[in-house]
């Protein structure tokens, strides 16, 4: 609770890079990352491969995408237009 604000950090990065929220994605491994992505309008990619990550909890919060391996994320990125 006393740490940095994820939504504020996302907004700062978007502004610094001059990127619109709909052109960005946030990769995270906890439910609070999903909430931060939604609050800022960026696409949410849940990283369910991280040790200690609760993949079921991530799924229950319906991220835009959920990947259980880095390889699956890599393959998805390579298929992007």
């Amino acid at each position: 609770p006393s740490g940095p604000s994820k939504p504020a950090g996302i907004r700062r990065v978007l502004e610094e890079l001059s990127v619109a929220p709909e052109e960005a994605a946030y990769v995270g491994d906890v439910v609070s990352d999903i909430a931060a992505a939604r609050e800022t309008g960026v696409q949410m990619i849940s990283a369910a491969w991280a040790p200690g990550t609760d993949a079921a909890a991530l799924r229950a919060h319906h991220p835009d995408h959920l990947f259980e391996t880095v390889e699956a994320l890599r393959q998805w990125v390579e298929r992007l237009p």
Side-chain angles (χ1 to χ4, degrees), residues 3-40:
S5 165
K6 288 180 184 182
I10 293 169
R11 286 186 193 100
R12 186 182 73 250
V13 169
L14 292 172
E15 185 176 320
E16 287 176 8
L17 297 175
S18 298
V19 174
E22 59 274 6
E23 297 174 330
Y26 183 79
V27 178
D29 61 356
V30 294
V31 171
S32 62
D33 294 329
I34 297 170
R38 286 192 180 132
E39 184 176 327
T40 56

